[in-house]
Amino acid sequence: MEVQKKRILTGDRTTGRLHLGHYVGSLKSRVELQDEYDTFILLADIQALTTHFEQPELLYSSIFDVTIDNLSVGLDPAKVTIVQQSAVKAIAEMTVFYSMLVSVNALRHNPTIKTEAAQYGYNEMSYGFLGYPVSQTADITFCNAHLVPVGEDQLPHIELTRKIVRKFNDMYGTHIIEPQAKLSQVSRLAGLDGNAKMGKSTGNAIYLSDTSKEVEQKVRMAVTDPARVTKDIPGTPEICNVGKYHRIFTPDQCDNIWEMCRTATIGCVACKKILAGSLNTLLDPMREKRAYYEAHMDEVREIIVSGTRKASAIGDAQVDSMREAMHLKI
Ligand code: TRP
């Protein structure tokens, strides 16, 4: 008998194209784990609405952009299931059930909600925004996912998911899986401008869809060790953005590059050239896959439609057993 693989569910908001921060934070582990786990990738368009409800065109085009971003990094559509969140009705139903088990205060004190609310300048949060971690709990549990590959900013949400699931199971005697976070090795990529986090909204991102020229240009503009005003002043690579990027993207030569920086035997211009080269070496095969999918949009659409259909059937069965357990079935 074939042993059922454990499931992964993870997702991306459909608020624009994905960047290197998404890659090192989550996409890379998705690719590594796709053989071992039955993998679901959620196109989180409902969660995107919580902050971008006034931009329906952006949300629509991002459904396709985010799908192609995921496929371009090497997720195999024959192995993984790509799902449009808003089309899986079970997620909406489960969100309502779960919402009874969470206090408004717990959501208000969620550190990621706080950070994001500040970032978006919300004085007053919408009910939908404040509650998105509850919806994310439904995302993860409609298919009984075991593992959620995420960056560290998502940990409070996974913690909340586990609490809600435990409560629900205790109360109704169900066996919904309590998922675990899988933190990536690099859980937060700083922006090349020195900003703490690479972000879509902060203008400091290198997109997976950037051309090699764009990558070169962005790296050329990157902020480096501010004390290294001229080339003959020794640098401090561990505090330099470009230095930190080498640790991640040029691991084999990194010690060497850091030593040359410390001894002022390499200048920032040359050091940046090496980094742009490393990034383009990583991105080149992705560009090739992207070009294929961009020329086959019907195939991309079909991947989303069939994945969503499969997910809906799984979600319907999950909601059905929950309704049964809650004595809601007449
Ligand atoms: N909140 C995640 C982010 O901002 C996106 C997301 C939505 C997600 N649903 C999910 C991540 C379910 C993991 C599991 O990146």
Side-chain angles (χ1 to χ4, degrees):
M1 203 179 81
E2 196 188 333
V3 183
Q4 275 259 315
K5 283 184 185 170
K6 288 187 176 177
R7 282 199 176 133
I8 276 180
L9 183 131
T10 183
D12 309 295
R13 293 181 189 188
T14 53
T15 53
R17 294 173 185 274
L18 303 184
H19 52 62
L20 277 179
H22 295 111
Y23 179 72
V24 299
S26 181
L27 273 63
K28 188 165 183 268
S29 26
R30 296 176 197 178
V31 176
E32 288 162 0
L33 296 168
Q34 66 179 329
D35 289 312
E36 198 183 329
Y37 287 84
D38 183 18
T39 300
F40 287 68
I41 315 272
L42 200 70
L43 306 163
D45 55 354
I46 294 281
Q47 197 171 118
L49 276 177
T50 67
T51 51
H52 289 63
F53 58 95
E54 287 166 312
Q55 288 166 262
E57 292 86 4
L58 171 72
L59 264 57
Y60 182 77
S61 58
S62 299
I63 289 172
F64 297 94
D65 289 342
V66 169
T67 302
I68 294 179
D69 284 332
N70 271 282
L71 295 169
S72 76
V73 300
L75 285 162
D76 180 348
K79 293 178 191 154
V80 305
T81 307
I82 298 184
V83 182
Q84 186 190 3
Q85 183 192 27
S86 66
V88 177
K89 298 200 170 56
I91 294 176
E93 289 185 57
M94 288 169 67
T95 303
V96 174
F97 297 157
Y98 287 152
S99 72
M100 314 306 159
L101 308 181
V102 188
S103 77
V104 173
N105 265 335
L107 293 167
R108 272 194 206 287
H109 292 127
N110 178 305
T112 299
I113 288 278
K114 278 192 191 165
T115 310
E116 289 173 352
Q119 189 186 315
Y120 289 110
Y122 294 157
N123 295 319
E124 291 248 23
M125 277 178 252
S126 73
Y127 166 59
F129 176 79
L130 181 69
Y132 91 71
V134 184
S135 164
Q136 189 160 325
T137 299
D139 294 345
I140 296 168
T141 56
F142 84 85
C143 64
N144 271 324
H146 291 83
L147 206 62
V148 190
V150 283
E152 66 183 3
D153 61 322
Q154 297 296 304
L155 291 182
H157 300 339
I158 311 300
E159 223 16 77
L160 181 75
T161 298
R162 292 168 60 85
K163 268 195 197 143
I164 292 177
V165 168
R166 228 172 290 152
K167 234 177 175 175
F168 194 97
N169 284 339
D170 281 350
M171 194 157 344
Y172 299 112
T174 43
H175 301 282
I176 301 167
I177 304 282
E178 225 179 279
Q180 275 185 333
K182 158 116 176 113
L183 260 192
S184 51
Q185 268 171 326
V186 183
S187 60
R188 174 180 299 224
L189 186 66
L192 274 174
D193 59 351
N195 203 305
K197 190 178 168 190
M198 183 174 278
K200 287 177 194 168
S201 47
T202 35
N204 63 2
I206 292 178
Y207 291 92
L208 302 177
S209 48
D210 280 349
T211 62
S212 52
K213 280 265 165 316
E214 285 169 323
V215 170
E216 280 165 22
Q217 235 160 34
K218 287 181 180 178
V219 173
R220 209 180 306 133
M221 303 293 291
V223 174
T224 53
D225 173 3
R228 209 176 170 202
V229 190
T230 62
K231 205 175 140 185
D232 20 279
I233 301 174
T236 313
E238 57 271 30
I239 61 135
C240 172
N241 286 312
V242 174
K244 289 184 204 161
Y245 269 60
H246 275 305
R247 205 26 97 214
I248 303 166
F249 298 105
T250 325
D252 296 347
Q253 294 173 59
C254 186
D255 286 344
N256 200 7
I257 294 167
W258 278 29
E259 188 53 29
M260 290 197 291
C261 172
R262 285 195 191 105
T263 52
T265 43
I266 189 173
C268 292
V269 175
C271 180
K272 284 176 169 180
K273 275 213 178 105
I274 302 175
L275 178 62
S278 311
L279 295 178
N280 281 327
T281 303
L282 172 72
L283 294 172
D284 272 338
M286 301 181 192
R287 292 180 179 126
E288 237 170 81
K289 289 206 183 68
R290 170 181 305 280
Y292 170 83
Y293 285 110
E294 281 176 351
H296 296 82
M297 286 306 289
D298 285 352
E299 211 173 298
V300 174
R301 175 182 290 275
E302 186 47 37
I303 289 168
I304 303 171
V305 169
S306 61
T308 303
R309 197 180 302 128
K310 176 176 155 191
S312 292
I314 293 169
D316 287 347
Q318 179 77 311
V319 166
D320 202 59
S321 63
M322 288 166 82
R323 293 189 70 223
E324 178 113 44
M326 295 170 83
H327 298 271
L328 292 174
K329 278 188 90 166
I330 55 166

